[in-house]
Amino acid sequence: QVQLVESGGGLVQAGGSLRLSCVASGRTFSGYYMGWFRQAPGKEREFVATTMWNGGRTYYADSAKGRFTISKDNAKNTVYLQMNSLKPEDTAVYYCAAARPPTIYSKPSNYDYWGQGTQVTVSS
């Protein structure tokens, strides 16, 4: 059974930091895109960042560039999203997801596996 389990969300003041974790299990994700998306109330799910499980380039949404960093620890089957300089508009449920290339990595419908999400709330 494939599972992506996120953790690390919470309530933080504007300007603060959080690190989200996503533990993957149930299959090998070798060659997959491992991405982070987010969804705020009343809005569509949007791309945040993605990286290749085997290494290579990372990609970020414009809103994440310079503030967020995606990384992974293959030995722990874990993908991270370090979020710094958080803003109230970053408030959302953050989801981890996996997609097999070739695909448009920023499109949620191209991802095959999803976690349950973790809430991030940034207060002003």
Side-chain angles (χ1 to χ4, degrees), residues 27-98:
R27 66 158 297 140
T28 177
F29 288 98
S30 177
Y32 274 63
Y33 285 115
M34 301 300 295
W36 287 96
F37 290 78
R38 66 186 184 186
Q39 189 166 18
K43 294 189 176 181
E44 293 189 352
R45 193 165 297 189
E46 65 175 8
F47 170 73
V48 176
T50 197
T51 187
M52 296 295 292
W53 187 263
N54 296 60
R57 292 190 64 181
T58 57
Y59 302 92
Y60 295 93
D62 288 343
S63 59
K65 287 178 183 175
R67 299 189 301 127
F68 294 2
T69 303
I70 188 170
S71 63
K72 55 186 170 47
D73 184 335
N74 290 48
K76 295 182 178 180
N77 287 341
T78 301
V79 181
Y80 302 100
L81 184 69
Q82 177 67 45
M83 305 187 294
N84 299 328
S85 303
L86 283 162
K87 306 174 183 179
E89 51 263 44
D90 294 319
T91 295
V93 177
Y94 283 70
Y95 297 91
C96 176

Side-chain angles (χ1 to χ4, degrees), residues 95-119:
Y95 297 91
C96 176
R100 189 165 65 179
T103 191
I104 300 174
Y105 57 79
S106 60
K107 196 172 180 182
S109 60
N110 289 339
Y111 282 71
D112 305 297
Y113 303 104
W114 290 87
Q116 82 290 348
T118 185
Q119 176 71 47

